């Protein structure tokens, strides 16, 4: 069973930075894309960014220019570098690995941005 484990969340002041990591227990290449989602209190889970197996990336408009998704294939790890954080970035951040027939989710990591 493939497992995705997030880490790197925490409490940061507005304007600060965090780097989230998502470690995949199996091969990262088994997924067509690796995605970061977030869920703020009382809101639906939303896609923040994704990176394909070919290395193409895409971002939500709300994080463009501030967040960067990357992957280290040798370490089977995906990262989300978050800069210029805002209070509205607060939420639980989830890593997801997507295949044509199924998806796998991590357990999430809390990010809190204080104003």
């Amino acid at each position: 069973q493939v497992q995705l484990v997030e880490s790197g969340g925490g409490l940061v002041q507005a304007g600060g930075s965090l780097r989230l990591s998502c470690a995949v227990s199996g091969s990262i290449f088994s997924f067509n894309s690796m995605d970061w989602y977030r869920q703020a209190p009382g809101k639906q889970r939303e896609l923040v960014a994704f990176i394909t197996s070919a290395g193409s990336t895409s971002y939500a408009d709300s994080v463009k220019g501030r967040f960067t998704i990357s992957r280290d294939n040798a370490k089977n790890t995906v990262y989300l570098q978050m800069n210029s954080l805002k209070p509205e970035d607060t939420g639980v951040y989830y890593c997801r690995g997507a295949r044509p027939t199924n998806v796998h989710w991590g357990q999430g990591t809390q990010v809190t941005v204080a104003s």
Side-chain angles (χ1 to χ4, degrees):
Q1 180 73 6
V2 174
Q3 287 188 321
L4 281 64
V5 180
E6 301 98 333
S7 61
L11 172 64
V12 64
Q13 294 292 317
S17 299
L18 285 173
R19 188 177 81 155
L20 306 183
S21 299
C22 172
V24 179
S25 63
S27 171
I28 200 171
F29 283 108
S30 71
F31 297 108
N32 293 70
S33 73
M34 296 295 302
D35 319 322
W36 282 100
Y37 281 75
R38 68 185 179 191
Q39 187 165 19
K43 294 188 177 181
Q44 289 190 331
R45 195 172 295 189
E46 63 174 351
L47 178 63
V48 174
F50 70 82
I51 184 167
T52 70
S53 56
S56 298
T57 60
S58 182
Y59 299 90
D61 287 343
S62 58
V63 306
K64 279 181 183 176
R66 300 188 298 122
F67 290 10
T68 302
I69 188 170
S70 62
R71 56 193 288 160
D72 186 330
N73 295 328
K75 295 183 178 180
N76 289 312
T77 300
V78 177
Y79 303 98
L80 186 67
Q81 177 67 44
M82 306 186 295
N83 299 328
S84 302
L85 283 162
K86 304 175 181 179
E88 52 263 44
D89 294 318
T90 294
V92 179
Y93 283 69
Y94 298 91
C95 177
R96 188 186 85 156
R99 296 174 177 145
T101 55
N102 59 43
V103 295
H104 290 263
W105 291 91
Q107 83 289 350
T109 185
Q110 176 71 44
V111 171
T112 303
V113 184
S115 58

